[in-house]
Amino acid sequence: MKAKAVIRQARKFAAPFRVTKGATFRLKDVDPGDTAGLKSEDKPRAKEALAMGVEVLAELQEMLYAQDKWAVLLIFQAMDAAGKDGAIKHVMSGVNPQGCQVYSFKAPTSDDLDHDYLWRCIKCLPERGCIGIFNRSYYEETLVVRVHPEFLQKQKLPPELISKSIWEDRFRDIRGFERYLASNGVAICKFFLHVSKKEQKARFLERLENAEKHWKFSAADMNERGFWDQYHEAYEDMIRHTAAKHAPWYVVPADNKWFTRVAVAAAVIDTLASLDLAYPKVGPDKLKELAVAKRTLLAKNKSR
Ligand code: ATP
Ligand code: MG
């Protein structure tokens, strides 16, 4: 299939998962087991589609890099074991590592806590021509910090700033920050991988039963599972307050990894394809320079 056709299909595929206006968004309207009508016998076809998507993504990234105009920021948020790492690994498998960097944001260090919460993320923003991936992000400031108020206490904020409106304030600031990035040529695309509690249990059990997956299991993840409903309320509120046309959320069903990866790839293709990517055209001086170089090389060839 030609790149143009893959892009057209990807854009169509990604559209239903995109949230650009949050006011009416409800998490319970999204089924984590949804596969957009595809059945498990369609899995091989989905894998083929992913492989084609990955190829097209590599071409788009090359243009992004050559053009050196836009930067792309991909943000991944999810409950534990929803498949963030796998989605990032598979979807980005074809891109040139030179133009793509992944950052994982864990609990803040004491140095981080000595600054405003965006500080550590701002340092990792992608430069023009590059794709930056945030595996968790400043959104944790409205998620884990909201679910566990003790984290807020550790942030050394002036107490009078910890008011009832702190979450609204954070949403407002994040909206402002993303608006600012968009005005500076950073295309933002945010993912919430929506896994069900039942599927998370199955994936935790798999980590416990399979020796090769033991390293992935953490008792802390079990603890967070106990706060499932609070997290879901926080996620819903986050999406409602921060979805925008220039910084959409893609709420991707995540109970079937093969499906999640195709949907994420489609959304990333959509994001890149919506930029006016093109290889830079060289001017007449450069064309002359190229012609001289070609003549010189061919002349040298002759003499050998
Ligand atoms: P996996 O899916 O493999 O478990 P992970 O992204 O959960 O990957 P971990 O090392 O298990 O990685 O966890 C990182 C932890 O850091 C998460 O529990 C997250 O909530 C926490 N974290 C991230 N940002 C903050 C923050 N600003 N304040 C407090 N905790 C944070
Ligand atoms: Mg974890």
Side-chain angles (χ1 to χ4, degrees), residues 16-19 25 27 30 190-194 239 249-253:
F17 307 111
R18 184 168 52 234
V19 184
F25 175 76
L27 202 47
V30 185
K190 307 177 291 199
F191 293 97
F192 171 55
L193 305 190
H194 186 28
I239 294 165
W249 276 105
Y250 285 86
V251 181
V252 179

Side-chain angles (χ1 to χ4, degrees), residues 79-81 84 106 136 207 216 218 220-221:
M79 294 296 284
D80 287 302
K84 281 185 281 111
K106 314 234 173 217
R136 300 190 188 273
R207 288 178 181 184
K216 278 193 177 181
S218 115
D221 293 355

Side-chain angles (χ1 to χ4, degrees), residues 15-298:
F17 307 111
R18 184 168 52 234
V19 184
T20 53
K21 283 194 194 117
T24 55
F25 175 76
R26 287 185 318 179
L27 202 47
K28 71 170 191 297
D29 293 341
V30 185
D31 172 10
D34 181 23
T35 51
L38 298 173
K39 306 228 163 48
S40 59
E41 55 264 32
D42 295 317
K43 244 162 116 171
R45 276 207 308 141
K47 280 195 176 156
E48 262 174 49
L50 180 59
M52 274 190 286
V54 165
E55 258 179 53
V56 169
L57 210 53
E59 285 171 34
L60 291 169
Q61 185 220 5
E62 205 171 296
M63 265 195 271
L64 178 84
Y65 190 82
Q67 193 185 38
D68 202 17
K69 187 161 90 174
W70 298 94
V72 174
L73 175 62
L74 308 177
I75 292 182
F76 287 83
Q77 291 290 158
M79 294 296 284
D80 287 302
K84 281 185 281 111
D85 294 4
I88 295 169
K89 184 171 122 186
H90 282 84
V91 173
M92 306 315 284
S93 58
V95 306
N96 181 348
Q98 207 152 251
C100 175
Q101 264 183 313
V102 185
Y103 296 94
S104 297
F105 292 97
K106 314 234 173 217
T109 64
S110 61
D111 199 17
D112 295 335
L113 291 173
D114 268 335
H115 296 84
D116 61 281
Y117 66 81
L118 285 178
W119 179 76
R120 65 175 179 157
C121 297
I122 289 174
K123 287 193 294 182
C124 302
L125 286 173
E127 58 189 87
R128 292 189 203 287
C130 292
I131 300 176
I133 300 176
F134 285 2
N135 184 348
R136 300 190 188 273
S137 65
Y138 45 85
Y139 279 106
E140 290 293 329
E141 294 292 332
T142 70
L143 297 166
V144 67
V145 180
R146 191 172 187 182
V147 172
H148 298 287
E150 61 274 22
F151 286 129
L152 195 57
Q153 297 308 322
K154 284 192 197 143
Q155 293 193 345
K156 299 161 87 176
L157 285 164
E160 61 271 31
L161 297 182
I162 305 183
S163 70
K164 269 197 182 141
S165 66
I166 187 156
W167 311 117
E168 293 283 335
D169 294 348
R170 288 191 167 188
F171 290 139
R172 179 203 59 212
D173 295 340
I174 288 173
R175 282 198 302 269
F177 175 60
E178 292 182 345
R179 183 67 267 174
Y180 162 83
L181 291 179
S183 306
N184 280 276
V186 182
I188 307 165
C189 174
K190 307 177 291 199
F191 293 97
F192 171 55
L193 305 190
H194 186 28
V195 74
S196 67
K197 200 171 181 188
K198 188 166 163 236
E199 178 61 22
Q200 190 197 51
K201 180 177 172 179
R203 291 186 190 171
F204 279 178
L205 282 172
E206 199 187 336
R207 288 178 181 184
L208 290 169
E209 280 157 13
N210 181 345
E212 281 172 12
K213 293 199 171 176
H214 281 170
W215 65 275
K216 278 193 177 181
F217 185 80
S218 115
D221 293 355
M222 276 300 290
N223 191 47
E224 294 318 289
R225 180 174 164 81
F227 294 92
W228 189 271
D229 292 343
Q230 291 92 319
Y231 269 111
H232 272 66
E233 273 171 34
Y235 271 114
E236 184 175 85
D237 214 29
M238 171 192 84
I239 294 165
R240 291 176 73 110
H241 283 89
T242 60
K245 202 157 180 280
H246 60 271
W249 276 105
Y250 285 86
V251 181
V252 179
D255 275 6
N256 297 284
K257 289 179 182 172
W258 58 272
F259 180 79
T260 309
R261 290 165 190 173
V262 176
V264 169
V268 178
I269 290 174
D270 188 16
T271 305
L272 284 162
S274 66
L275 307 173
D276 55 348
L277 298 181
Y279 287 106
K281 286 217 167 66
V282 297
D285 288 350
K286 185 79 183 171
L287 281 176
K288 259 188 218 155
E289 203 181 300
L290 298 179
V292 171
K294 190 172 169 186
R295 267 202 309 274
T296 315
L297 283 170
L298 291 175

